[in-house]
C-alpha cells in the first residue's frame, strides 16, 4: 500500500515538473528560487523592525517606571540662562564712615573696570559675575575695617615701625663697614652692597631673609600671590573662597594690579629723592652745602651729571650778548661754573685712580693745624669727648673728671644757695638741710678724687689737699671751695706733656678738628687760579683707630697673674649675714713667685665691676657679672653656682689678651686682688642706685634694634624714638658714653620744655588722629588720584634720564644737609652729622633694599592687624627658599660639626 502511494506521488511530481518545463522553459526554476528567497528575506526584515520598535517602547516604560531620574545637565542650565536674571543687591557701606566709603567704592569700580570689564564683556554680557566679584571685595574690606577698628595702632607707630627702620639702618651700616673692610674695588659696588646687606640681615634675623623677594621679580610676584590668597582666606566667607575662578581674579587684581605697582613706586630711589625735595621745598639750596656734596661724592655718575649741566649753563651764558652792569653778574656766574667743573673733574680723576685723601698724613705733612685752646675744649661738648677719650688712654681721666665734677658742684651749690637766700627772705628756714646736702656733696667729691682711698687719685699738692680737708671739717661748704685745686689741675693738664701738649699731636685731635669743621685739606695747593679744594669731609680709615691701638700705657708683660675662688662661706657681722669668697692669687714674674689669699664679698665684686666698666667702655660688652638675688641668697646650692660664675668672670678678666687690650686695667685688678680690705670707690649709695646709662651686654653688631633700649626711657615715647634714631643714624653707641648721656639729657629737657609732662598723651592722641576717618579718607583719595588721575588709569611713568636722576640725588643730599640745624652739629659734631645724614640718604638709593624695608613694614602691619593668625610663622615659610638663609645654615652647620665630633 505504501509502495503504491509513493509511486503515485513521484509520478505526479514528475508529470508536474515536465509540464512546468515544457510550459515555462528550463530557466523558470531559477526564477522560482529567487522569488522564494525574496519572500523569506522580506519577512525577516519586517519582523526585525517591528521587534526593535516594540522593545524601545518597553525599555522606555521600564525606565520611567523603575529607574531613578537623571540630572538635568546642560538643558537645565540653558533654561535657567533664558530666564530673567535676578538683581544682586550690594550694600555700599564698607567702613561705617561715608567719607571713607565713597573713595573706596570708586577704587573698586576703577579696578573692576580696568582689570576685568575690558576683557569680560568680549565674552559675555551677563553682569552677575562682575557683581559677585564686587560683593566679595566689599565683604573683604568690611572685615578688614572691622579688624582695624579693634586694633591698637599706638605700639605699631611708636615702637615697631621705629625699631624696624632702625634695624634696617643698622644692617645697612654693618654692610658698609664689611665692604670697607674687604676693600674690593673690582666688583660692582652696588651689587656687592646688596649681597652683603642680605648676608648681614640673615645673621641678625637668624630665621628669615628677604633676598629672593627683593631681588627676583618672579619670586616677588609669587610671594604677593600667596600673601593675597592668605588674606582672602581670612577675610572672605568659605563659600566665596572655595570659588576658585573668582578667588583667582581677586587675587590677581590685589597682587599684580594694586600691591606690586604700589611697592615698586615706594621702592624707587628716584621717587624717594623727589619726595624728599618736595618735603623740604621751602628750604633754599646753600652754595656751601652744594660744594660739600660735590667734594664728598663718591659716585662718578653724579659728578658727570653736574659737570654736564654746568657746561650747558656755561655755554648758554657765554652766548648772551650783554653790556653794562649785567656783564659783571654774568662773569661771576661763569667763574662759579668753571670752579664747579674743575672740582668735578678733580674728584672724578681721584675716584677713577682709586686714590683717596689720607687726612691724618696730609695734616702731618703740612703741619698747619688750627690750635684749639684747652679752656675752649673743656666747654665744648664735641671737643670734650675727644679729649676725654685721650685722657682715658693716658690714664689721666681722673684729672679731667675731677675738673668736670667741680664745675658741676659749683653750679649746683650756687643754685642751692640762691634758693636758700630767697627762702630766708620769705621766712622759710631750711638752712641746715641745704648746708648738709652741700657738705655731703663736697665730701663725696673729696672722697672720690682726693682722699687716700680714691682710685684713681688726683695727684696734686698735699698741702692743698690737707687745707681742703681742714676747710671741709670746720667750715660751711661754698661754691668756691675747690677752686684752688681745680686751678692746679687745669694747669697740670695744660702743661704736662702727657696731656694737652701730646693731645695736639694725636690722631684724636685731628678728628676733633674735623668734627668742629676746622680741618682744611690743601690738596690742590699750587693751582694757578687758586681754586683749591678745602676738605670738609670725613676722615679716612686711617683716623678710625681704636682706643686700644692708640693706648700708650706701658705694661709689664713678664708679670703673670692667676686667681680663682677656692672656697666660700657665710659670715655674720653685727646681725648682718653675707657670703664671703676666698680668692687664691698667684703672681709670678721672672725672678719671684708669690701666692696669697684675699676675701671679697659679692658687693665688692659689684663695685669693682661698676668701676672698671665705667673707666673702660669696651669691657661692658665683654664682662658680665652674675646678677643679684634678693631672696634665698645664702642657700648653699646658690652660693656654689655664684662661685662658679664668679670664677668664670675672673678667668675672663685675667685673660692675657684682655689685659693686653686694656693696659691700664692691670692697676684696678691688682688693687682688687691685693691682700687688704677693699675700699669701695662708689660707696653704698652709689652701688645701690643704677647708673644713668645702663650698659648693654648684647652684641650690637648681631642683634635687632627691637631689643629693649639700654636706657630707662621706654615710658617716654618721643625720647625713646629720638634716642634710638640718633643712635643708629649717628652711630652714638660707638662713641663716648658721656656724649650719649648728655644728648639724652638735652633731649629730655627739649621734650619737657616743648610738651611738658603730657607728651605721651599727645603722642597717643596724634596716633588716634593719624588713624581717624578723615586721615584714612585722605590716604585713600591720594591712592585713587595717584593710580587713576581724573578717573583714568595712569600710564606707566617712563623712567627718567640717568643724568636727571643723578642731579636729583645731588639736590636731595644738598637740601638734607641744608636743613640740619646747627645745634645738632654743635652737640655731636659737624662731621658726624654729615656722615649720618649721607648714610641715611645712601640707604635709600638701592631699590632692592627699599623693597626690603617696605616688605618689613607690611609684615609688621599684618602681624599687628591679625595677631591670632600666626603671620610670623607664615612669613618664615614664605621666605624659607632664601639662598642667603641656606648658605647661613650651611655655615652654621659646618661650624658646629667639629664641636659635636669632639663631644
Amino acid at each position: 500500500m505504501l509502495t503504491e502511494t509513493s509511486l503515485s506521488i513521484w509520478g505526479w511530481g514528475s508529470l508536474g515538473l515536465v509540464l512546468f518545463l515544457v510550459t515555462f522553459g528550463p530557466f523558470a526554476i531559477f526564477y522560482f528560487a529567487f522569488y522564494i528567497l525574496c519572500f523569506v528575506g522580506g519577512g525577516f526584515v519586517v519582523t526585525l523592525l517591528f521587534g526593535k520598535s516594540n522593545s524601545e517602547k518597553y525599555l522606555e516604560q521600564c525606565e520611567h517606571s523603575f529607574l531613578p531620574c537623571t540630572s538635568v545637565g546642560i538643558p537645565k542650565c540653558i533654561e535657567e540662562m533664558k530666564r530673567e536674571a535676578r538683581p544682586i543687591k550690594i550694600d555700599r557701606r564698607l567702613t561705617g564712615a561715608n567719607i571713607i566709603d565713597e573713595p573706596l567704592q570708586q577704587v573698586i569700580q576703577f579696578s573692576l573696570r580696568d582689570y576685568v570689564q575690558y576683557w569680560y564683556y568680549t565674552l559675555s554680557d551677563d553682569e552677575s559675575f562682575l557683581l559677585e566679584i564686587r560683593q566679595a571685595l566689599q565683604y573683604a574690606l568690611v572685615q578688614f575695617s572691622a579688624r582695624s577698628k579693634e586694633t591698637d595702632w599706638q605700639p605699631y607707630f611708636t615702637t615697631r615701625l621705629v625699631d624696624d627702620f632702625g634695624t634696617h639702618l643698622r644692617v645697612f651700616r654693618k654692610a658698609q663697614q664689611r665692604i670697607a673692610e674687604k676693600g674690593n674695588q673690582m666688583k660692582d659696588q652696588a651689587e656687592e652692597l646688596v649681597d652683603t646687606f642680605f648676608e648681614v640681615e640673615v645673621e641678625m634675623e637668624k630665621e628669615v631673609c628677604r633676598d629672593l623677594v627683593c631681588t627676583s621679580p618672579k619670586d616677588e610676584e609669587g610671594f604677593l600671590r600667596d600673601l593675597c590668597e592668605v588674606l582672602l582666606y581670612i577675610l572672605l566667607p568659605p563659600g566665596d573662597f572655595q570659588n576658585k575662578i573668582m578667588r583667582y581674579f581677586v587675587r590677581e587684581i590685589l597682587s599684580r594690579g594694586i600691591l606690586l605697582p604700589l611697592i615698586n613706586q615706594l621702592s624707587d630711589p628716584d621717587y624717594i629723592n623727589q619726595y624728599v625735595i618736595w618735603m623740604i621745598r621751602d628750604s633754599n639750596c646753600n652754595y656751601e652745602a652744594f660744594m660739600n656734596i660735590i667734594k664728598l661724592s663718591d659716585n662718578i655718575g653724579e659728578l658727570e651729571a653736574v659737570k654736564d649741566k654746568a657746561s650747558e649753563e656755561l655755554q648758554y651764558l657765554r652766548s648772551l650778548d650783554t653790556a653794562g652792569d649785567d656783564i659783571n653778574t654774568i662773569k661771576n656766574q661763569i667763574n662759579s661754573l668753571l670752579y664747579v667743573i674743575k672740582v668735578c673733574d678733580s674728584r672724578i680723576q681721584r675716584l677713577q685712580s682709586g686714590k683717596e685723601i689720607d687726612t691724618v698724613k696730609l695734616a702731618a705733612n703740612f703741619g698747619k693745624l688750627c690750635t684749639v685752646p684747652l679752656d675752649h675744649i673743656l666747654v665744648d661738648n664735641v671737643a670734650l669727648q675727644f679729649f676725654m677719650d685721650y685722657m682715658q688712654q693716658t690714664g689721666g681721666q681722673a684729672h679731667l673728671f675731677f675738673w668736670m665734677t667741680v664745675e658741676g658742684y659749683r653750679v649746683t651749690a650756687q643754685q642751692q644757695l640762691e634758693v636758700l637766700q630767697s627762702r630766708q627772705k620769705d621766712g622759710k628756714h631750711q638752712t641746715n638741710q641745704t648746708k648738709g646736702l652741700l657738705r655731703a656733696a663736697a665730701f663725696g667729691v673729696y672722697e672720690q678724687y682726693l682722699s687716700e682711698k680714691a682710685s684713681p687719685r688726683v695727684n696734686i699738692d698735699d698741702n692743698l689737699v690737707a687745707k681742703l680737708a681742714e676747710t671741709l671739717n670746720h667750715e660751711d661748704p661754698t661754691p668756691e671751695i675747690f677752686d684752688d685745686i681745680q686751678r692746679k689741675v687745669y694747669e697740670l693738664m695744660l702743661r704736662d706733656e702727657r696731656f694737652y701738649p701730646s693731645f695736639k699731636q694725636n690722631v684724636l685731635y685731628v678728628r676733633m678738628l674735623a668734627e668742629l669743621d676746622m680741618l682744611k685739606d690743601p690738596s690742590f695747593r699750587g693751582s694757578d687760579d687758586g681754586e683749591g679744594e678745602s676738605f670738609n669731609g670725613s676722615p679716612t680709615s686711617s683716623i678710625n683707630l681704636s682706643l686700644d691701638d692708640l693706648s700708650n700705657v706701658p705694661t709689664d708683660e713678664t708679670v703673670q697673674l692667676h686667681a680663682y675662688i677656692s672656697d666660700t662661706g657665710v659670715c655674720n657681722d653685727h646681725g648682718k649675714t653675707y657670703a664671703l669668697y676666698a680668692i687664691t692669687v698667684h703672681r709670678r714674674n721672672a725672678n719671684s713667685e708669690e701666692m696669697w689669699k684675699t676675701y671679697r664679698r659679692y658687693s665688692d665684686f659689684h663695685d669693682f665691676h661698676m668701676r672698671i666698666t665705667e673707666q673702660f667702655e669696651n669691657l661692658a660688652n665683654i664682662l658680665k657679672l652674675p646678677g643679684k638675688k634678693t631672696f634665698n641668697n645664702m642657700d648653699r646650692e646658690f652660693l656654689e653656682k655664684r662661685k662658679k660664675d664668679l670664677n668664670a668672670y675672673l678667668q675672663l678678666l685675667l685673660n692675657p689678651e684682655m689685659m693686653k687690650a686694656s693696659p691700664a686695667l692691670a692697676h684696678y685688678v691688682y688693687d682688687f686682688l691685693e691682700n687688704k680690705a677693699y675700699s669701695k670707690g662708689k660707696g653704698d649709695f652709689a652701688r645701690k642706685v643704677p647708673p644713668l646709662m645702663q650698659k648693654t651686654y648684647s652684641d650690637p653688631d648681631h642683634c635687632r634694634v627691637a631689643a629693649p633700649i639700654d636706657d630707662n626711657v621706654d615710658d617716654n615715647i618721643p625720647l625713646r624714638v629720638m634716642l634710638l634714631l640718633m643712635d643708629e643714624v649717628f652711630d652714638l653707641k660707638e662713641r663716648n658714653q658721656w656724649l650719649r648721656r648728655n644728648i639724652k639729657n638735652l633731649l629730655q629737657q627739649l621734650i619737657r620744655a616743648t610738651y611738658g609732662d603730657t607728651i605721651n598723651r599727645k603722642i597717643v592722641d596724634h596716633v588716634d588722629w593719624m588713624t581717624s576717618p578723615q586721615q584714612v579718607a585722605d590716604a585713600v583719595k591720594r591712592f585713587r588720584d595717584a593710580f587713576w588721575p581724573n578717573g583714568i588709569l595712569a600710564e606707566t611713568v617712563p623712567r627718567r634720564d640717568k643724568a636727571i636722576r643723578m642731579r636729583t640725588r645731588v639736590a636731595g643730599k644738598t637740601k638734607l644737609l641744608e636743613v640740619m640745624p646747627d645745634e645738632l652739629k654743635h652737640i655731636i659734631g659737624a662731621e658726624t652729622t654729615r656722615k649720618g645724614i649721607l648714610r641715611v640718604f645712601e640707604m635709600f638709593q638701592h631699590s632692592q633694599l627699599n623693597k626690603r624695608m617696605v616688605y618689613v613694614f607690611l609684615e609688621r602691619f599684618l602681624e599687628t592687624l591679625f595677631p591670632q593668625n600666626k603671620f610670623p610663622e607664615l612669613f618664615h615659610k614664605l621666605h624659607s627658599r632664601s639662598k642667603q638663609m641656606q648658605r647661613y645654615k650651611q655655615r652654621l652647620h659646618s661650624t658646629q660639626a667639629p664641636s659635636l665630633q669632639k663631644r
Side-chain angles (χ1 to χ4, degrees):
M1 186 73 183
L2 290 174
T3 305
E4 292 177 357
T5 301
S6 60
L7 287 175
S8 63
I9 292 174
W10 280 104
W12 285 104
S14 300
L15 178 63
L17 179 61
V18 170
L19 293 174
F20 178 81
L21 291 175
V22 171
T23 304
F24 298 102
F27 293 100
I29 192 170
F30 295 104
Y31 292 113
F32 181 74
F34 174 74
Y35 293 147
I36 294 175
L37 181 63
C38 288
F39 175 79
V40 174
F44 178 77
V45 171
V46 171
T47 303
L48 179 64
L49 291 176
F50 178 77
K52 181 175 183 295
S53 60
N54 285 340
S55 64
E56 286 179 350
K57 291 180 181 180
Y58 179 76
L59 289 174
E60 185 176 357
Q61 291 176 359
C62 292
E63 180 180 1
H64 289 285
S65 299
F66 306 104
L67 298 178
C69 299
T70 58
S71 60
V72 293
I74 296 177
K76 183 64 176 176
C77 293
I78 296 174
E79 183 180 354
E80 290 289 339
M81 292 176 66
K82 290 179 180 179
R83 295 180 182 179
E84 183 179 355
R86 291 176 298 176
I88 300 177
K89 295 182 180 181
I90 295 181
D91 190 354
R92 299 181 65 85
R93 293 175 299 176
L94 298 175
T95 64
N98 185 58
I99 192 175
I100 303 177
D101 293 348
E102 182 180 352
L104 265 180
Q105 288 289 353
Q106 292 178 344
V107 170
I108 295 175
Q109 178 183 349
F110 294 154
S111 300
L112 293 176
R113 181 196 67 189
D114 295 325
Y115 295 114
V116 180
Q117 290 180 2
Y118 80 95
W119 59 263
Y120 178 76
Y121 282 141
T122 62
L123 303 178
S124 173
D125 295 332
D126 182 32
E127 295 187 354
S128 60
F129 177 70
L130 299 176
L131 293 176
E132 289 178 358
I133 291 182
R134 186 184 189 110
Q135 192 175 29
L137 285 173
Q138 292 193 176
Y139 185 88
L141 287 174
V142 170
Q143 297 298 316
F144 185 86
S145 173
R147 291 288 188 103
S148 300
K149 293 176 182 178
E150 298 172 358
T151 303
D152 180 13
W153 292 107
Q154 185 264 333
Y156 174 76
F157 286 105
T158 60
T159 303
R160 293 189 177 184
L161 210 62
V162 180
D163 288 342
D164 288 333
F165 178 80
T167 300
H168 188 83
L169 182 57
R170 176 176 293 182
V171 174
F172 180 78
R173 177 163 51 84
K174 297 302 178 185
Q176 281 187 324
Q177 294 175 358
R178 190 168 297 183
I179 290 177
E181 293 173 359
K182 293 179 181 178
N184 186 4
Q185 302 294 333
M186 301 299 294
K187 190 176 180 181
D188 182 14
Q189 288 288 337
E191 180 182 350
E192 184 179 12
L193 178 62
V194 172
D195 293 341
T196 308
F197 179 91
F198 288 110
E199 287 180 8
V200 179
E201 182 196 19
V202 72
E203 293 174 3
M204 186 172 294
E205 297 281 356
K206 305 296 185 185
E207 298 179 352
V208 65
C209 184
R210 303 168 182 85
D211 55 336
L212 279 182
V213 176
C214 299
T215 58
S216 171
K218 182 179 178 181
D219 290 298
E220 182 181 12
E221 292 179 5
F223 173 81
L224 289 176
R225 286 195 187 98
D226 293 339
L227 184 60
C228 290
E229 191 146 356
V230 172
L231 292 176
L232 293 177
Y233 174 78
I234 296 174
L235 298 175
L236 290 180
D240 290 341
F241 182 78
Q242 296 300 328
N243 187 340
K244 292 186 178 181
I245 298 177
M246 185 181 66
R247 185 175 83 218
Y248 290 162
F249 276 128
V250 176
R251 184 192 70 182
E252 292 300 314
I253 291 173
L254 291 176
S255 61
R256 293 179 58 87
I258 296 178
L259 286 179
L260 188 60
L262 180 62
I263 292 173
N264 287 335
Q265 184 178 15
L266 295 177
S267 305
D268 183 16
D270 190 47
Y271 171 80
I272 296 175
N273 296 339
Q274 294 179 66
Y275 187 75
V276 168
I277 295 174
W278 178 82
M279 287 286 292
I280 50 181
R281 58 189 178 279
D282 296 333
S283 173
N284 296 323
C285 287
N286 181 277
Y287 177 76
E288 182 181 356
F290 171 72
M291 292 309 302
N292 281 336
I293 291 298
I294 297 300
K295 296 170 184 177
L296 293 174
S297 177
D298 56 358
N299 190 306
I300 296 179
E302 292 179 1
L303 298 170
E304 290 179 343
V306 172
K307 176 187 171 183
D308 293 342
K309 189 63 177 178
S311 301
E312 181 182 335
E313 291 292 328
L314 182 64
Q315 185 177 1
Y316 169 74
L317 290 175
R318 285 175 171 170
S319 66
L320 295 178
D321 185 13
T322 57
D325 296 336
D326 292 339
I327 192 171
N328 294 326
T329 303
I330 291 178
K331 283 185 177 180
N332 291 334
Q333 293 177 352
I334 289 175
N335 291 332
S336 297
L337 291 173
L338 288 173
Y339 176 66
V340 171
I341 293 172
K342 284 195 174 184
V343 172
C344 290
D345 283 333
S346 61
R347 185 65 182 162
I348 290 173
Q349 292 176 3
R350 184 178 301 161
L351 291 173
Q352 290 177 341
S353 63
K355 296 180 180 179
E356 283 292 332
I357 297 177
D358 190 332
T359 309
V360 178
K361 294 181 179 178
L362 199 63
N365 291 336
F366 288 99
K368 292 183 179 181
L369 297 176
C370 299
T371 300
V372 182
L374 179 60
D375 54 345
H376 290 182
I377 293 176
L378 294 175
V379 297
D380 186 278
N381 285 334
V382 177
L384 182 58
Q385 62 171 311
F386 288 97
F387 187 58
M388 188 181 299
D389 289 342
Y390 176 77
M391 293 295 281
Q392 286 181 334
Q393 293 178 21
T394 58
Q397 67 272 19
H399 300 78
L400 178 59
F401 291 157
F402 171 77
W403 189 93
M404 294 169 60
T405 304
V406 171
E407 284 292 304
Y409 167 81
R410 181 186 296 109
V411 173
T412 303
Q414 290 174 349
Q415 292 176 349
Q416 292 293 330
L417 292 178
E418 290 175 359
V419 172
L420 178 63
Q421 292 175 1
S422 64
R423 288 186 175 180
Q424 287 178 343
K425 291 180 181 180
D426 297 337
K428 300 178 180 179
H429 299 284
Q430 292 182 337
T431 306
N432 294 333
Q433 181 180 359
T434 302
K435 289 184 178 180
L437 292 174
L438 292 179
R439 184 183 300 278
F443 265 107
V445 175
Y446 175 81
E447 291 290 336
Q448 187 172 0
Y449 295 103
L450 301 174
S451 66
E452 294 293 336
K453 299 179 180 180
S455 177
R457 183 174 182 270
V458 175
N459 296 319
I460 205 69
D461 189 359
D462 292 338
N463 294 329
L464 288 177
V465 176
K467 182 179 178 182
L468 173 65
E470 184 71 17
T471 303
L472 288 174
N473 289 324
H474 298 90
E475 298 180 13
D476 292 334
T478 64
E480 299 81 15
I481 192 171
F482 292 103
D483 282 3
D484 292 338
I485 297 181
Q486 187 189 30
R487 199 175 300 110
K488 287 291 185 182
V489 170
Y490 175 82
E491 293 178 358
L492 179 65
M493 291 190 296
L494 178 65
R495 306 188 186 284
D496 195 317
E497 287 295 329
R498 296 174 299 166
F499 303 139
Y500 177 68
S502 297
F503 173 62
K504 292 191 295 183
Q505 309 298 324
N506 192 273
V507 66
L508 290 174
Y509 186 77
V510 181
R511 290 179 60 186
M512 181 193 75
L513 294 180
E515 293 287 4
L516 297 175
D517 257 351
M518 300 174 65
L519 184 62
K520 302 299 179 181
D521 170 24
S523 57
F524 294 96
R525 190 170 68 177
S527 58
D528 297 335
D529 51 9
E531 295 173 346
E533 178 181 5
S534 63
F535 177 79
N536 288 315
S538 63
T540 56
S541 58
S542 59
I543 292 181
N544 299 324
L545 302 174
S546 66
L547 298 181
D548 298 334
D549 295 335
L550 295 175
S551 179
N552 56 1
V553 179
T555 57
D556 186 4
E557 298 183 357
T558 61
V559 177
Q560 297 181 6
L561 190 66
H562 302 281
Y564 63 95
I565 299 177
S566 55
D567 198 7
T568 182
V570 178
C571 298
N572 191 302
D573 185 13
H574 300 287
K576 293 183 179 181
T577 305
Y578 56 87
L580 201 62
Y581 299 92
I583 306 175
T584 302
V585 184
H586 293 266
R587 182 169 61 184
R588 180 185 306 164
N589 55 31
N591 301 322
S592 62
E593 180 177 352
E594 297 179 81
M595 184 183 73
W596 67 87
K597 279 192 176 184
T598 186
Y599 299 89
R600 296 288 180 259
R601 298 175 55 179
Y602 175 80
S603 59
D604 298 331
F605 277 96
H606 188 267
D607 184 88
F608 169 72
H609 180 76
M610 290 178 63
R611 182 182 297 184
I612 62 174
T613 52
E614 186 176 275
Q615 298 296 332
F616 307 94
E617 302 285 348
N618 58 324
L619 295 182
N621 296 327
I622 303 174
L623 294 174
K624 186 174 182 180
L625 188 70
K628 293 182 179 180
K629 186 178 180 181
T630 305
F631 303 102
N632 297 326
N633 54 8
M634 296 295 114
D635 182 71
R636 189 65 191 176
E637 183 178 351
F638 171 75
L639 291 179
E640 287 297 325
K641 182 179 182 302
R642 176 174 280 180
K643 170 186 171 183
K644 180 180 178 181
D645 294 339
L646 289 176
N647 258 326
Y649 176 87
L650 278 177
Q651 303 315 312
L652 182 60
L653 178 68
L654 296 175
N655 188 290
E657 296 298 327
M658 178 84 71
M659 303 293 287
K660 185 178 180 181
S662 303
L665 177 64
H667 169 76
Y668 295 91
V669 175
Y670 290 155
D671 180 70
F672 179 73
L673 295 178
E674 273 193 275
N675 188 14
K676 65 176 184 179
Y678 181 64
S679 59
K680 297 180 175 62
K682 289 183 171 290
D684 292 337
F685 178 77
R687 285 188 291 103
K688 294 177 183 178
V689 177
L692 184 61
M693 300 295 286
Q694 296 287 345
K695 304 293 189 297
T696 175
Y697 298 106
S698 59
D699 185 1
D701 292 347
H702 298 91
C703 68
R704 286 179 51 84
V705 176
I709 194 169
D710 62 347
D711 294 80
N712 299 322
V713 297
D714 287 337
D715 294 335
N716 192 325
I717 296 173
L719 178 60
R720 180 189 182 280
V721 171
M722 295 174 69
L723 188 59
L724 187 147
L725 291 180
M726 292 189 70
D727 271 345
E728 297 306 322
V729 173
F730 303 110
D731 202 9
L732 295 183
K733 286 190 175 181
E734 303 295 330
R735 307 288 295 279
N736 192 297
Q737 289 297 309
W738 172 85
L739 170 68
R740 191 170 181 269
R741 196 158 46 235
N742 279 355
I743 291 175
K744 173 177 172 286
N745 294 334
L746 288 173
L747 291 176
Q748 282 180 319
Q749 296 173 9
L750 175 64
I751 294 171
R752 189 176 295 112
T754 306
Y755 299 102
D757 297 329
T758 62
I759 179 61
N760 283 356
R761 179 69 257 172
K762 293 180 179 180
I763 293 293
V764 174
D765 292 342
H766 184 72
V767 173
D768 292 340
W769 174 79
M770 290 173 59
T771 55
S772 64
Q774 180 66 44
Q775 294 302 309
V776 174
D778 290 342
V780 175
K781 290 177 182 178
R782 287 195 297 269
F783 174 79
R784 177 199 62 192
D785 296 338
F787 276 77
W788 292 277
N790 299 321
I792 302 174
L793 182 63
E795 297 181 357
T796 303
V797 179
R799 188 174 177 83
R800 301 199 305 168
D801 182 69
K802 180 180 178 181
I804 299 178
R805 288 186 280 116
M806 290 295 106
R807 288 195 292 270
T808 305
R809 286 182 57 170
V810 175
K813 286 192 285 187
T814 302
K815 279 187 168 290
L816 278 178
L817 285 187
E818 178 62 24
V819 298
M820 284 299 104
D822 292 335
E823 291 76 10
L824 183 62
K825 299 177 183 179
H826 296 158
I827 294 174
I828 62 177
E831 182 61 21
T832 299
T833 303
R834 268 195 298 269
K835 289 172 64 178
I837 296 302
L838 294 181
R839 179 187 297 119
V840 174
F841 186 86
E842 180 63 26
M843 182 183 69
F844 287 112
Q845 304 311 306
H846 305 273
S847 60
Q848 298 95 329
L849 308 189
N850 296 338
K851 280 190 176 183
R852 187 261 179 194
M853 186 165 58
V854 173
Y855 280 118
V856 168
F857 289 163
L858 177 61
E859 291 172 11
R860 295 293 177 270
F861 175 81
L862 295 176
E863 291 172 10
T864 305
L865 188 63
F866 305 102
Q868 305 298 329
N869 293 103
K870 299 182 180 180
F871 266 96
E873 299 178 8
L874 172 66
F875 290 128
H876 289 170
K877 292 180 180 178
L878 292 179
H879 296 300
S880 60
R881 294 187 300 108
S882 165
K883 296 179 181 178
Q884 293 289 353
M885 177 63 69
Q886 295 172 2
R887 295 172 189 166
Y888 175 74
K889 291 182 178 179
Q890 291 176 356
R891 292 196 302 268
L892 192 64
H893 178 73
S894 61
T895 54
Q896 292 178 350
S899 60
L900 293 175
Q901 291 177 358
K902 290 180 180 179
R903 292 180 183 179

